[in-house]
Each structure stands twice: as structure tokens, then as C-alpha cells.
Amino acid sequence: VKSRYYRPDKSVFSAICSGCVTEWDDSANPVRMTGCHTSCLEDSLKNGFIIETDDEFKTVFSLLPNLICTISREGYFTKLNSNWVDLLGYEIDELKKKPFIEFVHPEDLKATSIEVEKILSGKKTINFINRYIKKDGSEIWLEWNAVLSKNQTQIYASARDISIRKNFEKSLIESEKKLQEDQEKLQASLNEKEILLRELYHRTKNNMQVICSMLLLQAYDTDDENVQNILGAMESRIHSMALIHQKLYQSGNLCNISTREYIVELAQMICENYGCSEKKISMSYDIDDFSLNIEYALPCGLILNELITNSLKHAFCHPAQEGGNIYLAFKKGPERKVFIKVSDDGHGAMKDFDPARNAKMGLQIILAIVEHQLEGSVIFENIKGFSCGITFKEKDIKSLYEIK
């Protein structure tokens, strides 16, 4: 921001105020700023106002904080204010003895020489930046405005120290570079963990498939129908979990699966194992498609496996009934509530059925999962077939499978 100010003698001069916010409160409101005021001799130079007398120079030199100087066409300082001594550490006589170009940073010599040639040809220099070497060997950044005198014998110039700004820019660039490097390292780490996690899902699924195959082989090796049923039920439960790991391995999201795709495939797999087509048993679905975390997908898969298997094994075994339908609903309601229902139009359970007393292992698994793991509720109905309704609420959980 450029403003005008009064000197002690009531004369007016211009100055530029620049700054930036350095502190914010908890609500992201600025509470502190850092800035500086710089006198604008540049205004005079830009507007063609040239100081021609020693008295004018002495007045300007004594009032402005900038580095003020005149330079001969041969490239030597002819006049300098005391700020040069304060900033570079050289005495005035030391600065006048050498061509000014010898104080310029070696990397900026070419650009500075080109800029001087432009000034000597009559062009103004506005905001040219280079570095000077201080007496102690350190470097300082200067921003220049300069113009050739009317008689073309010397250059009038004003410079200001912008080292703080340049160092801040350098720090900002280094910080951005480091941030980019950190982001690349983080992304590489995430990619590595994703590969490892996919491999884990793949191997887990394969191991479960091996277990399923072993159970099936064991079932084929026995003539005991009861043992065969037990081994078949175990194989189906393991298969429901293996399917989840397969879906996660194939998914772009390693923590969640699509409910509709998983549930329909699980139900079709169970129906195929029990020969639904031959028995004329059909499935109907009412499934909301949403992402379900693996911490909920695994228990829900086990529940659905038990309920569908229960209907296929017991609902349609009456001699007078031919075929039937199993209805499966998986819905998401308000407040993150999930509702599951599996019902059939079979002959139903016995009249005095009490799940607390009469439930076999399958229903016991359902009760244990819903009450202790999902912290939900179960309702059984034995009207025009058998149905089971389950309600639970999804909670914010940090999955054991989540990438950390």
C-alpha cells in the first residue's frame, strides 16, 4: 500500500507499506502482522524528477532509508549515503575505489552488466534485482531503480534491501520442495502398503479356499450324513468370508465393499450349492447399494449365510410343497441404521419355536453376532413361513484393515 507522510519540516514524501499476516487465532482470523515502510525515491525517478544539486542529494541522503548513490559512466560510485556503510560493511572510500561491478555477486555479473548498458542507452531500470557481496563475505539481495542523468554523465540509483523477502521465498521454495518429497514418500509408502494389503487379502482368500476344499474332501470321505452336513455348513461359512476378501482384493477401496454386488453373489453361490434350480427355489432381492466397512461386512456375510442356508435346508422340505421363494432385504435407513431381513414362504418353524431354547448352531451364531458384535436386535417371525429381521447401527470405527 502506498501512502504519503509528513517529515518534521512538514514536507511530504511517499512510502510503500508491505506486510503479511504471521499469526492467526483458532477461527483462522488474522491477529498479528509483520511489515515495513520503504521510502519512494523511485517515484521521483519514475516521474523523471532528477536531483541535480549536492544540497538536494544531502537532504535526500539524510532522510531516506534506501541505498542512494550516483555512478559514473566508467562504473565507479561517485556519491553514496551512509546506509551503504551500515549494510555492506565497507567504508565510503572503499566503495569508491573499485568499480561497483566488483561488489556484485559473481552469478549476477552478466545480468547487471546488461542492465547498466540499458541505463546508459537512456532506459530506466525499475525493480531490477541482484546480489552484492558484503565485506564479511555474506551476500545481500538488492532491488534497484535507476535512471541516467539529464547530462548523461552519471547514473542516479536507489536500492533497497530485500534479503528478508528473498530468504523467505527461498525457504518457501525449499519447504514446498520438501513437502513434495514428503508427499511422494507418503504416496510411495501408501502404494507399498496397498500392494501388501491386496496380497494379504489374496492370500487369505486362497488359504480359505484351501480350507474349504479340505472340508469338502473330508465330507466326501465319510458316509455319515450328519458329518457331511456339519462339514458342508463349515465350508459355506468360510466361503462367505473368503468372498469378502476376494471382493476387497478386486476393489479400489481396501476397507469397504459394495453391498449389492457382494450379497447377490453370496446368495447365488449358496443357492447353487443347494441346487435351487432343480428344487424350483427362487431368490428375490431388495438391496440398497452402499459401501460397508469390512468390520461390518464379515459378520453380515456370516449372518446372511446362516439365514439363507437355514431357509434352503428347512423351509421347503415338506412333501406337499414344491419350490418356493426366499426374500432378502438389506437396507440402509436414517441415522446410519442398517436393516437385514431374510424370509421364506415355506412351512415355517414349529409352533412353539423359541430361539433362546430351540436354536441350533446356525441361529446361535446369528444371535451371538448381532447381540455382542453388532450390538443390534433380532426379531423372528413364524407367520406364512419363517423370517428373521435384524437391525443395527453403523458406528465410527477404525478398521483393523485400514491403511495406517
Side-chain angles (χ1 to χ4, degrees), residues 10 46 72 104 140 164 195 266 284 322 338 343 353:
K10 302 302 181 182
K46 290 176 184 177
S72 68
V104 176
I140 184 173
I164 294 177
I195 292 171
L266 174 65
S284 56
E322 182 180 357
V338 178
S343 62
F353 172 75

Side-chain angles (χ1 to χ4, degrees), residues 196-224:
L196 291 174
L197 194 51
R198 288 188 186 279
E199 181 65 19
L200 175 62
Y201 287 146
H202 187 57
R203 292 191 180 190
T204 301
K205 185 263 295 183
N206 288 345
N207 290 337
M208 287 182 169
Q209 295 283 22
V210 170
I211 296 172
C212 289
S213 298
M214 292 172 65
L215 290 172
L216 288 175
L217 288 172
Q218 190 66 47
Y220 293 147
D221 197 42
T222 180
D223 295 328
D224 191 322

Side-chain angles (χ1 to χ4, degrees), residues 298-311:
L298 280 169
C300 287
L302 286 170
I303 289 171
L304 290 171
N305 176 77
E306 297 301 327
L307 290 173
I308 297 170
T309 300
N310 179 73
S311 292

